[in-house]
Amino acid sequence: MSTKNMEQDVSWFKSLLYASDEECLFDTDELVSMALTYPPILVACADGIMDNEERVVLATMARALGESDGDELTEELKYLERYANFVKLATINDADKSRLLELLGAYCSKDPEVSTLILNSIYNIAEASNGISSEEQNVIDEIKLKLNIAIN
């Protein structure tokens, strides 16, 4: 998310997922973390099917983003909500897809560690089922280009 418009960017991202602010269980940092999972979601959907292995990787990511400072019931609810949001992000329209990738690209340019995190996650999900398909590689290349991440 672009630094100077961070609040506006997060608000826009939240509006992709929720009809109202009251529905959202997550703070700004948690929403940014969810936005950063968008590239691997694109890779998981590259061949038109999110298979079980890819779903497991996304579920693991949803669980890993959780914080252990809340009660167990709240954390489980947030985990389920994160996973549901990942599935919802898989179906956003092309205009929102472009805008989200643009925002993530700005975020990557400000923090190189974010680029590394995204690269690791997109390859992790691509390799989840029978290696990297040509469709997945094409999406990976597109993500790298749009986020201005060096192509290895």
Side-chain angles (χ1 to χ4, degrees):
M1 313 274 149
S2 57
T3 305
K4 70 179 181 178
N5 296 321
M6 178 82 135
E7 188 175 312
Q8 188 176 28
D9 295 342
V10 171
S11 179
W12 172 81
F13 180 70
K14 188 189 308 183
S15 74
L16 283 177
L17 304 173
Y18 299 99
S20 70
D21 286 350
E22 293 76 33
E23 293 179 6
C24 184
L25 301 173
F26 304 103
D27 64 23
T28 296
D29 289 341
E30 291 170 313
L31 287 164
V32 169
S33 293
M34 273 192 281
L36 292 172
T37 64
Y38 187 58
I41 292 167
L42 287 175
V43 173
C45 298
D47 59 4
I49 299 168
M50 191 183 305
D51 63 35
N52 288 340
E53 290 84 359
E54 291 163 335
R55 288 176 191 268
V56 167
V57 172
L58 287 177
T60 301
M61 289 170 65
R63 176 103 40 216
L65 290 177
E67 308 222 353
S68 58
D69 57 353
D71 66 87
E72 192 173 315
L73 182 61
T74 300
E75 290 310 312
E76 188 66 13
L77 180 60
K78 286 176 118 178
Y79 156 68
L80 294 169
E81 187 76 13
R82 273 189 297 275
Y83 184 79
N85 285 336
F86 292 171
V87 172
K88 193 179 291 186
L89 286 170
T91 64
I92 64 174
N93 65 47
D94 288 343
D96 290 336
K97 172 186 171 181
S98 292
R99 181 169 180 193
L100 183 50
L101 288 173
E102 180 183 310
L103 295 174
L104 291 174
Y107 201 67
C108 286
S109 71
K110 303 232 182 298
D111 187 349
E113 287 183 30
V114 172
S115 298
T116 302
L117 223 153
I118 289 173
L119 278 176
N120 290 340
S121 66
I122 61 178
Y123 281 109
N124 187 28
I125 203 152
E127 294 170 351
S129 57
N130 303 322
I132 301 173
S133 70
S134 61
E135 294 95 341
E136 289 169 332
Q137 187 60 56
N138 290 339
V139 170
I140 289 169
D141 292 342
E142 177 187 351
I143 290 167
K144 287 177 171 182
L145 183 65
K146 289 187 177 183
L147 300 186
N148 200 26
I149 298 173
I151 296 177
N152 305 358

